[in-house]
Amino acid sequence: MHTRPGLPPRFICVVGLLLTSQAACHSHVPAPIGQCPSNIPVALRSNASLVCTLPVDEHVIQQPVAWSPWTHAPECVHAPRSPGTKYCVFTNSQHGNGGVSIITTPEIASDSIEALDDSGDTHLRSVVKNSTEPAYRVADIPGKGKGIIATRHIKRAEAIMADWASLMVYLDFPTSVKRAQGYRYLHRAVDQLSDPDRVLQLARSSNFANDIVEDVLRTNAFSYPLGGEPHMVVYPEVSRVNHACRPNAFIRFTPSSTAVSIVVQRDIEPGEEITITYVPMGKTREERQEALLKWGFNCTCDLCAASKSEVAASDYRRTKIKAMRQEVMKAIEAWDGTKAVKLTLDVLELMRVEDLAPLYAGQYEILARLYWKAKDKKTSTKYAKLSIDTLVDQGYLENSTQALPALLQEFDR
């Protein structure tokens, strides 16, 4: 099978996103984080109901109605190390569970208002539906501090926890302002939450922090592209879940909400620790250990502590997956659809061996797009359905008869 000559730039761009998990082609759409499935097609995402809002800063202090949806007047600082940039503390103390504070630019805050409009209902409903009895308890884990342990049998794909961001900080903020000034704004952001202890009582293990909130961020924060720009984000409940390089659960993110949930990847038995990965899936052992240094620990999970031959075999497969995904892009750019399809199927096979389940849906969508461009709509529809079914099974999408037609319609854009 060969795709037609002259593949449109958008087709190459979309497949590139699915292969690289980067949002360069659609900068207004947040890129997936960590183990998130590669970009869920726009047509399948929920629509935000809020209209565009104007940026607000400290100059609206005498006009409380203009703060909405913020519950506190923004406090701002010009960044001396980033001329022309202003950072403000934006707080909605009623959002989620205990409120959310965001330290970012007025423009990004304005562009991200829709995240506050989404209550995370999908996450909550899936957890409530499965909550016949508590699925886990927080416990002391030898060598790890706190962690969560299953208290009953948990079925694969069951959502067991819902959480909301409590603190979000623009990645460049700490290096753009004076240290004392930065600490003051971090403290203000936490103090304005309705329950500051949800953040202040989290684990602190950084050797480089000189302030309690900085330590909490360094120890617990994930990366999140708010408004297309990198931010550190703290999810207090999720922060209790420890890391494993071959986890038995994953974080389910949504691009339009600050809500997340924990979904188990396989059946889990009572007494078993529930784990997620703190780093992007598919990395080699050396890459994972280097990435985990920011959390201040060396991973000793089953995968990292396996025998040398087992680690070498896993690293070989993961390195090969990365190289083959790059070859898929080259094949697409060379209009060689047959090669692109074969490589993608081989990638899927290796991903299954490595149990990289959250990445399957993106590969199915690549196959669907390739066959669609080759005018083989029957095979394309089969893989498109596999992609949607995988996303539904993993809890990323609601089961809807409109999902498949919407995805296929995207292929012609």
Side-chain angles (χ1 to χ4, degrees):
M1 181 202 75
H2 288 271
T3 53
R4 291 178 297 159
L7 287 174
R10 186 179 185 280
F11 173 74
I12 295 176
C13 177
V14 168
V15 175
L17 289 178
L18 293 168
L19 287 166
T20 63
S21 297
Q22 297 297 316
C25 303
H26 300 284
S27 59
H28 62 287
V29 176
I33 306 161
Q35 55 188 320
C36 232
S38 295
N39 290 18
I40 296 176
V42 174
L44 303 185
R45 298 178 181 152
S46 59
N47 296 320
S49 62
L50 285 180
V51 296
C52 294
T53 56
L54 296 176
V56 297
D57 56 22
E58 74 277 21
H59 298 302
V60 300
I61 194 163
Q62 301 301 323
Q63 307 170 47
V65 68
W67 302 345
S68 181
W70 315 116
T71 55
H72 296 67
E75 181 176 344
C76 305
V77 59
H78 288 276
R81 297 171 187 168
S82 299
T85 301
K86 178 193 291 186
Y87 293 104
C88 305
V89 179
F90 299 95
T91 301
N92 184 313
S93 61
Q94 305 304 312
H95 182 70
N97 186 5
V100 61
S101 284
I102 307 172
I103 300 179
T104 192
T105 66
E107 293 76 20
I108 290 176
S110 175
D111 291 343
S112 306
I113 291 294
E114 65 182 56
L116 298 183
D117 185 48
D118 189 329
S119 65
D121 183 59
T122 298
H123 298 271
L124 272 178
R125 279 190 286 110
S126 60
V127 173
V128 170
K129 182 178 67 174
N130 295 319
S131 297
T132 53
E133 59 180 291
Y136 65 89
R137 62 182 173 87
V138 178
D140 291 319
I141 309 293
K144 295 183 179 181
K146 300 291 185 182
I148 66 170
I149 301 294
T151 56
R152 60 171 173 81
H153 176 76
I154 306 173
K155 295 181 180 179
R156 184 182 68 84
E158 181 178 338
I160 62 167
M161 176 191 294
D163 198 10
W164 288 261
S166 287
L167 181 62
M168 309 179 83
V169 180
Y170 198 120
L171 189 62
D172 290 342
F173 171 74
T175 57
S176 300
V177 299
K178 294 179 180 179
R179 178 178 293 183
Q181 202 170 35
Y183 290 160
R184 185 169 73 84
Y185 275 76
L186 288 175
H187 284 225
R188 183 178 182 87
V190 173
D191 286 342
Q192 290 180 169
L193 299 173
S194 62
D195 187 2
D197 284 343
R198 293 191 76 233
V199 172
L200 296 174
Q201 292 182 359
L202 291 175
R204 303 185 297 274
S205 61
S206 173
N207 295 322
F208 306 101
N210 294 300
D211 175 83
I212 183 172
V213 182
E214 179 189 16
D215 201 341
V216 167
L217 278 168
R218 286 181 178 272
T219 305
N220 299 279
F222 289 85
S223 175
Y224 186 89
L226 185 69
E229 297 295 334
H231 285 64
M232 297 174 282
V233 57
V234 174
Y235 301 100
E237 294 298 318
V238 171
S239 293
R240 301 295 187 190
V241 188
N242 286 320
H243 165 84
C245 295
R246 187 172 280 161
N248 54 22
F250 62 91
I251 307 176
R252 181 176 65 192
F253 294 88
T254 49
S256 62
S257 172
T258 68
V260 297
S261 51
I262 298 293
V263 181
V264 301
Q265 194 165 305
R266 59 170 174 78
D267 283 9
I268 296 177
E269 299 304 322
E272 190 175 350
E273 184 182 8
I274 300 169
T275 57
I276 58 176
T277 180
Y278 292 1
V279 298
M281 297 195 82
K283 301 289 187 182
T284 63
R285 184 183 187 278
E286 183 178 349
E287 291 170 337
R288 297 192 304 270
Q289 294 288 4
E290 182 178 353
L292 289 168
L293 288 177
K294 72 175 76 172
W295 281 280
F297 69 89
N298 291 317
C299 185
T300 57
C301 72
D302 292 343
L303 183 58
C304 288
S307 68
K308 287 187 176 181
S309 61
E310 289 176 311
V311 170
S314 174
D315 285 353
Y316 175 81
R317 288 188 290 266
R318 289 165 183 246
T319 301
K320 195 163 186 177
I321 287 171
K322 181 178 179 180
M324 291 168 70
R325 293 174 91 179
Q326 293 171 344
E327 288 299 314
V328 170
M329 275 305 299
K330 291 179 181 178
I332 290 171
E333 291 169 354
W335 309 332
D336 191 344
T338 301
K339 183 177 181 179
V341 165
K342 182 182 184 305
L343 285 167
T344 304
L345 289 170
D346 290 343
V347 166
L348 261 173
E349 202 58 42
L350 288 175
M351 283 182 172
R352 291 191 183 100
V353 176
E354 284 298 296
D355 198 19
L356 302 175
L359 304 183
Y360 298 167
Q363 301 308 302
Y364 289 136
E365 188 186 337
I366 289 171
L367 289 167
R369 289 180 180 274
L370 288 168
Y371 277 107
W372 190 268
K373 291 300 175 184
K375 301 297 185 181
D376 185 347
K377 296 192 175 181
K378 180 178 179 181
T379 307
S380 174
T381 301
K382 179 186 79 171
Y383 282 113
K385 187 174 186 304
L386 272 172
S387 180
I388 290 171
D389 288 347
T390 300
L391 291 170
V392 170
D393 184 52
Q394 293 177 347
Y396 285 101
L397 291 179
E398 292 291 310
N399 197 358
S400 168
T401 57
Q402 300 303 312
L404 182 59
L407 180 57
L408 294 176
Q409 189 174 6
E410 277 234 327
F411 293 172
D412 281 326
R413 292 181 181 175

